[in-house]
Amino acid sequence: MKKHNFSPGPCVLPQEVMKKAAEAVVELDGIGLSLIEISHRSSEFIAIMEKARTLALQLLGLEGKGYQALFLQGGASLEFLMVAYNLLEKKAGYVNTGTWSEKAIKEAKLFGEIVEVASSKDTNFNYIPKGYEVPEDIDYLHMTSNNTIFGTQIKSIPTTRVPMVCDMSSDIFSRQIDYSLFDLIYAGAQKNMGPAGTTLVIVKEDILGKVSRKIPSMLDYQVHIGKDSMYNTPPVFAVYVSMLTLQWLTDMGGIAAIEEVNEKKANLLYSEIDLNPLFNGFANKEDRSIMNATFTLADERLKETFDKMWKEAGINGVSGHRSVGGYRASMYNALSLESVGVLVDVMSDLERKA
């Protein structure tokens, strides 16, 4: 039985994507070779890379607006470093909304002064800071759009004249926002786009080339742009599956269509959390993520019973992160409304039996 996969990452993927990817591992499009044994310089893979990059820009509404799409390696964790290497000359501002923000801040401090313009650390990151002032003398403002561990999500983008950078690893392509407000977006594929192994970077070219330091080739966005995202051997399988997922999303009707589905899933689960007295939501209601719902049991004595129930229902990946405890249901694009319904039914059954 195929399980209901609420894993926070690597993410659930569409079944049609999984099927086509599996076929391509054996033989890619009838060429007599496996996807994972062809040259990354072959016409077949160059076409795959170009399609993936084009689809990413099209879905975000950024095609023809001065942006480049790159598929790189090293995960979002390497981007914490690359962003600062390429953009930080003297001082940068960071909004601290959780673990990944803190890791980004740590790396950026190697290159210049870091101003923590806002933080929600005072209540274990269960809300998104608002009403803060953005300094005008910073090289860029960095934020994390969705916080997988704590289940919070930025709903309103601050207005500022400084370049804006955003880690969108866990909610990219999930909701309609004006992506052109950002000058650089990065996202590890394994949260909402494909398998682990590649990272999507969307960068506006005119913000590059302004720092005085020399940048190593592998860490220089301009080098990767100049080589069409293939300066070194790319992660062929991860790029291919990401391309298939982006095509699947395009065929569905794009971000507007998937946002409707995502809101239905989130509303269904959060309604149960709020109405069921056995559960408490962790994140502030106004800041709740539609991708990652975090919640705890009101009575920890029910933990053994509840864990047994959701496992028997074929549910996977809902254990909470150690920073929060309790439970976390990750509802990425490819997770079905049916799967969320199964989890909600288990939660309701627990209430009836308690």
Side-chain angles (χ1 to χ4, degrees):
M1 179 183 76
K2 182 70 175 178
K3 292 188 176 182
H4 304 281
N5 188 8
F6 290 85
S7 172
C11 67
V12 58
L13 291 169
Q15 284 303 297
E16 51 264 56
V17 168
M18 296 281 278
K19 183 175 184 294
K20 190 160 186 179
E23 291 171 351
V25 169
V26 177
E27 183 180 4
L28 175 66
D29 298 335
I31 67 171
L33 293 168
S34 165
L35 165 72
I36 58 175
E37 64 184 7
I38 61 173
S39 168
H40 66 287
R41 303 294 182 190
S42 66
S43 59
E44 289 84 3
F45 185 72
I46 289 173
I48 289 167
M49 175 65 84
E50 287 307 301
K51 185 175 181 180
R53 294 171 63 201
T54 298
L55 285 171
L57 292 174
Q58 289 176 344
L59 283 164
L60 298 176
L62 297 178
E63 190 176 29
K65 295 183 179 180
Y67 290 83
Q68 291 284 347
L70 302 171
F71 282 90
L72 306 178
Q73 296 172 64
S77 294
L78 184 58
E79 294 309 311
F80 300 158
L81 176 71
M82 284 185 70
V83 165
Y85 227 138
N86 284 262
L87 303 182
L88 177 51
E89 181 69 13
K90 293 182 179 179
K91 182 165 61 174
Y94 279 69
V95 180
N96 185 3
T97 51
T99 301
W100 304 113
S101 298
E102 291 189 322
K103 289 179 181 291
I105 290 170
K106 177 184 176 183
E107 299 302 322
K109 283 182 176 179
L110 298 173
F111 299 93
E113 181 184 351
I114 299 304
V115 178
E116 197 170 290
V117 299
S119 174
S120 53
K121 191 172 184 176
D122 58 325
T123 57
N124 197 25
F125 302 111
N126 75 333
Y127 71 98
I128 297 293
K130 303 168 190 70
Y132 53 86
E133 291 187 10
V134 180
E136 295 184 358
D137 62 341
I138 55 177
D139 297 317
Y140 62 87
L141 176 68
H142 180 285
M143 62 189 66
T144 306
S145 59
N146 187 77
N147 301 284
T148 54
I149 291 174
F150 302 97
T152 61
Q153 186 174 43
I154 292 175
K155 308 295 183 180
S156 178
I157 312 300
T159 301
T160 177
R161 294 181 180 180
V162 305
M164 295 226 291
V165 177
C166 195
D167 176 358
M168 294 189 184
S169 290
S170 53
D171 69 344
I172 195 166
F173 303 117
S174 70
R175 56 175 175 154
Q176 296 182 94
I177 59 174
D178 184 357
Y179 291 93
S180 68
L181 292 172
F182 298 97
D183 298 86
L184 193 151
I185 297 166
Y186 61 92
Q190 73 275 10
K191 294 290 187 179
N192 204 31
M193 187 170 51
T198 193
T199 306
L200 174 65
V201 175
I202 307 289
V203 58
K204 200 168 189 177
E205 284 193 85
D206 64 12
I207 68 166
L208 301 175
K210 297 179 180 180
V211 294
S212 58
R213 72 177 61 86
K214 292 185 181 296
I215 305 173
S217 298
M218 272 297 290
L219 302 179
D220 190 336
Y221 291 127
Q222 289 182 310
V223 169
H224 289 290
I225 289 170
K227 296 297 183 180
D228 296 323
S229 206
M230 291 197 288
Y231 172 70
N232 65 312
T233 304
V236 171
F237 181 75
V239 172
Y240 178 71
V241 180
S242 295
M243 181 274 287
L244 293 179
T245 305
L246 295 176
Q247 185 63 60
W248 167 82
L249 181 55
T250 299
D251 294 342
M252 278 191 62
I255 293 176
I258 201 65
E259 183 179 39
E260 289 186 18
V261 178
N262 289 335
E263 287 181 347
K264 288 178 182 178
K265 293 185 293 187
N267 289 337
L268 179 60
L269 181 53
Y270 283 124
S271 292
E272 180 64 25
I273 291 170
D274 292 338
L275 294 173
N276 191 325
L278 300 183
F279 296 95
N280 296 315
F282 176 77
N284 278 12
K285 288 186 178 181
E286 64 181 359
D287 300 319
R288 283 173 165 173
S289 167
I290 63 170
M291 293 281 96
N292 312 96
T294 49
F295 55 98
T296 57
L297 282 164
D299 185 349
E300 281 297 312
R301 291 175 296 182
L302 294 172
K303 177 175 171 51
E304 184 177 347
T305 300
F306 181 55
D307 288 353
K308 181 180 180 182
M309 290 173 65
W310 59 257
K311 289 175 183 176
E312 289 178 347
I315 291 170
N316 172 71
V318 294
S319 295
H321 190 273
R322 59 185 177 277
S323 302
V324 176
Y327 301 91
R328 169 178 52 177
S330 297
M331 299 173 285
Y332 297 128
N333 283 353
L335 184 77
S336 69
L337 183 62
E338 177 190 0
S339 289
V340 178
V342 171
L343 176 58
V344 167
D345 287 343
V346 172
M347 296 167 73
S348 298
D349 287 344
L350 182 67
E351 182 185 6
R352 284 191 289 271
K353 293 177 180 178

